[in-house]
């Protein structure tokens, strides 16, 4: 079983690359952002709660996110493996994920960071905002707040996974195909 955590700032390309890795390795793609947006579109209570954080560019509280993630994994227990995209984003989430996977005799194979500078990322997000309809992509103050959330709460996961010998970085600048090739090269080397 391969379980990959795709890591990186907003706009780094996690969702785009996850779509390719999913078909390459026959994995189940699990994006907490997509799950929240699905709940928002379905007008569930969870969706309304998540929206109040997401629209500002704040992280959704840990317990809500962890519970949703666990449920999604459990609902897809026949998967050959998972790509976790946008989860974990805090050390509490990372700890909860380790415990949860351990109890299911599963573990993270690798955490792979897509690296790109803030200027490139902001440009990508502003462009995405023109077509995505995502409130959080549509103004630079919200985008900057998402970067602050990343720096304050998510960046420390690098040392969390480095300590486990599971942290890898890939240059996230280049064409989508080039970056996919870098990721596949890295993952194939780990198998
Ligand atoms: P991006 O990586 O571009 O920010 P996502 O779709 O991954 O896009 O996330 C959008 C928003 O969903 C985040 O800003 C946050 O509010 C919420 N979210 C997604 N994943 C998590 C998570 N693991 N923990 C808390 N909030 C999350």
């Amino acid at each position: 079983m391969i379980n990959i955590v795709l890591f990186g700032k907003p706009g780094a390309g996690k969702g785009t690359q996850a779509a390719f890795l999913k078909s390459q390795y026959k994995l189940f793609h699990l994006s907490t952002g997509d799950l929240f947006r699905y709940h928002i579109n379905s007008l569930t209570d969870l969706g309304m709660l998540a929206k109040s954080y997401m629209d500002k560019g704040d992280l959704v509280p840990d317990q809500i996110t962890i519970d949703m993630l666990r449920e999604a994994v459990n609902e897809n227990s026949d998967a050959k493996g998972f790509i976790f995209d946008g989860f974990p984003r805090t050390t509490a989430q990372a700890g909860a994920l380790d415990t949860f996977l351990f109890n299911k005799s599963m573990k993270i194979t690798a955490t792979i960071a897509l690296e790109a500078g803030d200027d490139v990322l902001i440009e990508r997000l502003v462009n995405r905002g023109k077509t995505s309809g995502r409130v959080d992509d549509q103004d630079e103050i919200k985008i900057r707040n998402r970067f602050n959330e990343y720096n304050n709460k998510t960046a420390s996961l690098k040392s969390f996974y480095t300590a486990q010998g599971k942290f890898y970085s890939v240059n996230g600048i280049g064409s989508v195909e080039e970056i996919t090739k870098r990721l596949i090269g890295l993952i194939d080397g780990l198998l």
Side-chain angles (χ1 to χ4, degrees), residues 21-84:
L21 298 181
K22 167 188 163 164
S23 56
Q24 177 79 13
Y25 298 103
K26 309 277 178 286
L27 303 176
F28 189 85
H29 174 203
L30 227 163
S31 155
T32 39
D34 287 351
L35 285 173
F36 284 133
R37 282 185 288 275
Y38 173 79
H39 276 279
I40 291 171
N41 291 334
S42 311
L43 303 173
T44 66
D45 290 345
L46 171 60
M48 294 307 101
L49 183 60
K51 186 173 164 54
S52 65
Y53 295 94
M54 288 170 76
D55 282 358
K56 288 184 276 185
D58 290 342
L59 290 187
V60 178
D62 281 333
Q63 203 54 52
I64 297 170
T65 310
I66 292 164
D67 290 346
M68 179 180 72
L69 186 281
R70 282 199 198 117
E71 192 182 312
V73 172
N74 284 333
E75 278 172 0
N76 294 283
S77 50
D78 54 344
K80 286 180 63 184
F82 292 88
I83 304 175
F84 296 104

Side-chain angles (χ1 to χ4, degrees), residues 14 32-33 37 54 58 60 86 89 93 128 134 146:
K14 301 182 293 288
T32 39
R37 282 185 288 275
M54 288 170 76
D58 290 342
V60 178
R89 262 170 146 116
Q93 292 180 17
R128 183 170 79 184
R134 280 178 55 172
R146 283 153 70 200

Side-chain angles (χ1 to χ4, degrees), residues 12-13 16-17 20 114 124 170-183:
T16 305
Q17 294 301 330
F20 291 102
L114 287 166
R124 286 184 190 172
V170 159
N171 176 2
I173 308 276
S175 70
V176 170
E177 298 77 30
E178 273 163 4
I179 299 164
T180 307
K181 274 192 200 144
R182 289 176 200 149
L183 286 166

Side-chain angles (χ1 to χ4, degrees), residues 104-129:
K104 296 175 80 69
S105 304
M106 291 163 62
K107 61 178 166 48
I108 300 294
T109 311
T111 296
I112 308 177
L114 287 166
E115 307 276 9
D118 285 7
D119 291 351
V120 174
L121 296 175
I122 291 173
E123 196 185 317
R124 286 184 190 172
L125 291 170
V126 169
N127 277 329
R128 183 170 79 184

